Amino acid sequence: MDSLACRPSFEIFPVADLLTRVQSLLQPQFDESDVEFHTHVDPPTLEITADGEQVEQVLLNLLRNVRQAATGKPGARVNLNS
């Protein structure tokens, strides 16, 4: 594997955009599992410097695991806040 392919590509981006994208990808799975899923960004203009694709992949993996663990639990709710 090329070592350049593994290097993060840092950029400044809005956290709200990231969480909106993650929620739109996972919301159908949470709905199907009857698990509430909410996001909140404060301040709404919050930005971070990171590799957006890597952060998104980490959040997707973690939230998929959380959804699996919460499925079947009455009143299950996931809040993703920043």
Side-chain angles (χ1 to χ4, degrees):
M1 181 178 250
D2 186 337
S3 64
L4 292 178
C6 296
R7 290 190 181 161
S9 176
F10 292 102
E11 60 185 341
I12 299 171
F13 59 91
V15 172
D17 291 354
L18 170 67
L19 297 190
T20 297
R21 208 168 39 250
V22 166
Q23 186 170 22
S24 70
L25 290 169
L26 294 179
Q27 191 65 57
Q29 295 171 26
F30 275 85
D31 291 344
E32 185 178 288
S33 300
D34 207 22
V35 176
E36 288 187 47
F37 178 38
H38 302 276
T39 62
H40 179 74
V41 178
D42 188 29
T45 57
L46 182 64
E47 295 181 323
I48 61 170
T49 301
D51 184 313
E53 288 183 20
Q54 288 184 355
V55 173
E56 182 176 316
Q57 190 59 55
V58 167
L59 287 174
L60 289 170
N61 291 341
L62 288 170
L63 288 164
R64 284 181 182 126
N65 291 342
V66 167
R67 184 193 58 81
Q68 283 183 326
T71 298
K73 296 189 170 55
R77 178 182 174 123
V78 175
N79 294 312
L80 181 58
N81 302 317
S82 62

